[in-house]
Amino acid sequence: MDWGIKNRLSRIINQRNGKGVMLAVDHGYFLGPTERLEDPKKTIKPLLQYADSLMLTRGVLRTCVDSESNIPIVLRVSGGTSILGEDLSKETITTSIEEAIRLNASCLALSIFVGSKYEHQTLSNLSKLVNEGEKYGIPVLAVTAVGKEMARDARYLALSCRIAAELGAHVVKTYYCENFEKVVEGCPVPVIIAGGKKLPEKDALHLTFNAIKDGASGVDMGRNIWQSDHPIEMIQAVRSIVHDGLSVQESIESFFLKKNLQSNELETLNR
Ligand code: 5RP
């Protein structure tokens, strides 16, 4: 692998332990002002110090992140669809490689929709992006998105992740599922997991713990962090599981119970 790609990747996945915590705030690119991400600047600022990298679009990067920040940027460069549109899988490449270089991106992120109507278009987008990234030493994160009628099971996710890696993605993001180790086994590049819809905090920490135990290289997590009533404690707890090998209970004790949360808040947490 090219030195530049390796160097940029090492800013996202720590070479010491092979793990990374990516904070995802790119949801607005098709969902608009998502709950608790209405003002991205406000959401991002207190969390940044606990993330290894930040995943977002160029618009939010330019307007909501301090240009003096040294957080590695994972730039979402696919889109062109909305939740109201014809088909979410009909994505195109929205941001040029020159723009990504100007923005000092450490990685490019693009969604693929295997099994969807526009499967071919999204896989072709990925191949083109990898070719561009390879030219300039910028790695590519393939986001395996799920079509409406697709099951999020190991068979389907393994298929998507493997195809992404075969087309040259340097990291793949997918969902945690039963038999997740099969997804990791079949994918020759690091696999990280999305958090998905907001869960009770304890469940999201279990998801993180199980994914790491089954071979994930980290998380690319959004809603389960910033939609929590305790986003700072949540990202710290996730981080402690990913990087320090804490158990779910240890992470809860370290980051929630020591903060004197009200008993009703703890009840939600322990659900
Ligand atoms: C949206 C994305 C998100 O970045 C990804 O799903 C992670 O966020 P969350 O943890 O909220 O699912 O790629 O398409």
Side-chain angles (χ1 to χ4, degrees):
M1 204 189 291
D2 174 83
W3 193 92
I5 290 194
K6 271 200 208 156
N7 179 262
R8 287 187 173 90
L9 259 185
S10 73
R11 305 192 69 213
I12 295 174
I13 308 271
N14 188 316
Q15 292 310 288
R16 182 181 52 84
N17 61 3
K19 303 283 190 293
V21 173
M22 186 182 293
L23 177 64
V25 291
D26 61 321
H27 303 60
Y29 92 93
F30 72 99
L31 286 174
T34 316
E35 192 189 343
R36 300 210 180 173
L37 193 57
E38 294 90 347
D39 179 351
K41 198 175 198 161
K42 222 168 111 189
T43 306
I44 295 168
K45 202 171 174 202
L47 301 175
L48 214 49
Q49 62 181 300
Y50 305 106
D52 296 320
S53 62
L54 183 66
M55 182 196 189
L56 75 184
T57 58
R58 65 172 156 188
V60 170
L61 177 62
R62 282 181 191 147
T63 52
C64 304
V65 182
D66 188 342
S67 57
E68 285 173 18
S69 163
N70 57 12
I71 186 89
I73 297 300
V74 180
L75 192 67
R76 171 172 280 282
V77 300
S78 73
T81 59
S82 92
I83 194 73
L84 301 179
E86 172 209 340
D87 193 319
L88 277 181
S89 69
K90 202 177 178 181
E91 286 197 353
T92 186
I93 297 177
T94 55
T95 308
S96 69
I97 192 85
E98 290 81 8
E99 172 80 331
I101 293 167
R102 276 196 295 274
L103 293 168
N104 199 24
S106 295
C107 187
L108 309 168
L110 170 143
S111 292
I112 57 167
F113 294 81
V114 171
S116 74
K117 186 167 164 198
Y118 295 97
E119 170 188 277
H120 172 73
Q121 181 174 321
T122 63
L123 294 178
S124 156
N125 289 342
L126 174 61
S127 310
K128 283 185 198 138
L129 192 67
V130 171
N131 290 338
E132 289 293 288
E134 294 277 353
K135 254 192 244 167
Y136 299 99
I138 308 184
V140 172
L141 164 69
V143 175
T144 62
V146 180
K148 267 189 197 136
E149 52 298 319
M150 298 296 159
R152 279 190 194 183
D153 60 19
R155 199 158 154 237
Y156 170 75
L157 296 175
L159 172 79
S160 300
C161 290
R162 178 57 173 266
I163 291 173
E166 298 264 353
L167 294 180
H170 305 88
V171 193
V172 175
K173 183 183 85 171
T174 194
Y175 297 93
Y176 183 69
C177 61
E178 215 177 297
N179 300 320
F180 183 73
E181 64 283 358
K182 295 267 173 248
V183 179
V184 175
E185 257 169 46
C187 184
V189 299
V191 177
I192 58 179
I193 60 143
K197 283 195 181 136
K198 172 79 176 68
L199 302 166
E201 281 74 358
K202 198 173 184 180
D203 294 352
L205 295 174
H206 271 294
L207 177 83
T208 306
F209 181 85
N210 290 335
I212 297 296
K213 172 175 68 59
D214 293 347
S217 297
V219 298
D220 176 19
M221 196 174 270
R223 288 163 290 178
N224 275 293
I225 292 173
W226 38 261
Q227 286 182 342
S228 167
D229 287 342
H230 308 286
I232 295 177
E233 287 76 15
M234 195 57 193
I235 193 169
Q236 286 179 295
V238 166
R239 190 176 177 87
S240 73
I241 293 173
V242 172
H243 280 304
D244 307 323
L246 260 60
S247 67
V248 172
Q249 199 50 39
E250 285 166 339
S251 74
I252 289 175
E253 278 164 18
S254 304
F255 298 104
F256 289 90
L257 299 185
K258 285 186 188 153
K259 300 277 160 110
N260 294 327
L261 299 183
Q262 299 301 309
S263 56
N264 62 336
E265 292 180 293
L266 282 180
E267 234 166 73
T268 322
L269 182 70
N270 280 310
R271 246 191 305 166

